[in-house]
Amino acid sequence: MAKGKKKAAGEEKAEQAALGRKEYESELKRLHVELVKLQQWVVDQGLKVCIVFEGRDGAGKGGTIKAITERVSPRVFRVVALPAPTEREKSQMYIQRYLAHMPAAGEVVIFDRSWYNRAGVERVMGFCTEAQAHKFLTVTPLFERMAVESGIILIKYWLEVSAEEQTRRLKDRIDDGRKIWKLSPMDLKSYARWDDYTRARDEMFAATDSSWAPWYMAHSEDKRRVRLNIITHLLKQIPYKDLTRDQKVVLPKRGKLGKYKPAPYPFRLVEEIF
């Protein structure tokens, strides 16, 4: 790079100082309050929201989804992370097993990987033919248009991570007993196919980035920043009102205690080690 020439935006992002825990937790707390407001609005208005998360292994999809859902109701915010298809599911129409998980009124469904498996891992790893992959890319915009026209708010996120950061995160999974479950045999096989995944991603974007269901890309080198950025962006995609202002909650008076004497049941107590 020539001396004095401005660095690319991506390089400047990579060199940006990591967000401190204190600042992150403060911002996340504020955003969690807004997510609760959104939750109440979704239920009150009977909205149907579908959020798709895609990205390479180690891009931070799981952590971002956890940040979104950790303070809201799992009965409203439902996470779908489907395993590999069974033999019966393989014989079905491809989109069929995903349709069963689409949101009903008053629900937010988050797909941790979705029907886009066919455009990514299935295509790259040879689990589908090129003809099947091309057919998928052709019909998916039509399926998504049908979903949107049925009243579903469809939001699609792609988390983008560099090859160097992906390597660091996958190695961290190997070395950390709390994370080893995140590292599947498929992750190891796909690790060596970076360019194949990049090509598949680019073709997926070109075919399925529509006006009714656009893709949003988020750089995820800094996990804390990407979580805050995506939640902030998500809140802007669904206009909502704060219903909590009209719902003042007051605890009712408790009845007199001690009228009933508990039975001396021989409970099996958990040992108090701590």
Side-chain angles (χ1 to χ4, degrees), residues 88-99 118:
R88 181 176 182 276
E89 289 171 332
K90 289 178 183 178
S91 71
Q92 295 175 340
M93 179 175 64
Y94 176 72
I95 201 68
Q96 190 169 338
R97 73 184 190 129
Y98 296 100
L99 288 174
R118 173 136 297 182

Side-chain angles (χ1 to χ4, degrees), residues 135-195:
K135 183 68 174 178
F136 170 83
L137 294 175
T138 301
V139 302
T140 294
L142 303 178
F143 158 69
E144 292 179 349
R145 183 161 197 161
M146 179 184 68
V148 171
E149 290 180 350
S150 76
I152 291 175
I153 299 171
L154 178 57
I155 306 168
K156 303 185 301 189
Y157 289 112
W158 175 274
L159 270 61
E160 182 70 8
V161 67
S162 67
E164 295 76 18
E165 180 62 14
Q166 183 195 49
T167 297
R168 190 194 68 77
R169 292 178 185 178
L170 294 182
K171 285 183 176 179
D172 184 50
R173 292 180 183 181
I174 295 173
D175 299 332
D176 191 333
R178 300 167 300 173
K179 300 178 182 179
I180 190 65
W181 64 271
K182 293 183 176 183
L183 194 65
S184 70
M186 191 55 57
D187 294 339
L188 299 176
K189 291 180 181 178
S190 64
Y191 175 73
R193 304 190 180 186
W194 179 271
D195 284 349

Side-chain angles (χ1 to χ4, degrees), residues 32 44 68 70 129 158 195 198 200 243 255 271:
H32 279 161
D44 183 78
I68 294 171
E70 63 183 348
T129 65
W158 175 274
D195 284 349
T198 301
L243 301 179
E271 184 180 3

Side-chain angles (χ1 to χ4, degrees), residues 65 152 233:
I65 292 171
I152 291 175
H233 182 272

Side-chain angles (χ1 to χ4, degrees), residues 19-36:
L19 187 66
R21 177 176 294 277
K22 187 175 181 180
E23 182 182 357
Y24 167 70
E25 291 180 349
S26 175
E27 286 298 314
L28 187 60
K29 181 178 180 180
R30 179 184 63 81
L31 291 172
H32 279 161
V33 172
E34 295 304 312
L35 283 170
V36 170

Side-chain angles (χ1 to χ4, degrees), residues 12-31 67 169 219-232:
E12 290 179 349
K13 277 282 184 183
E15 293 179 6
Q16 192 174 28
L19 187 66
R21 177 176 294 277
K22 187 175 181 180
E23 182 182 357
Y24 167 70
E25 291 180 349
S26 175
E27 286 298 314
L28 187 60
K29 181 178 180 180
R30 179 184 63 81
L31 291 172
R169 292 178 185 178
H219 291 283
S220 62
E221 295 296 288
D222 186 324
K223 292 181 179 181
R224 293 173 183 169
R225 290 186 189 278
V226 75
R227 292 167 190 171
L228 299 180
N229 289 335
I230 284 183
I231 295 175
T232 301

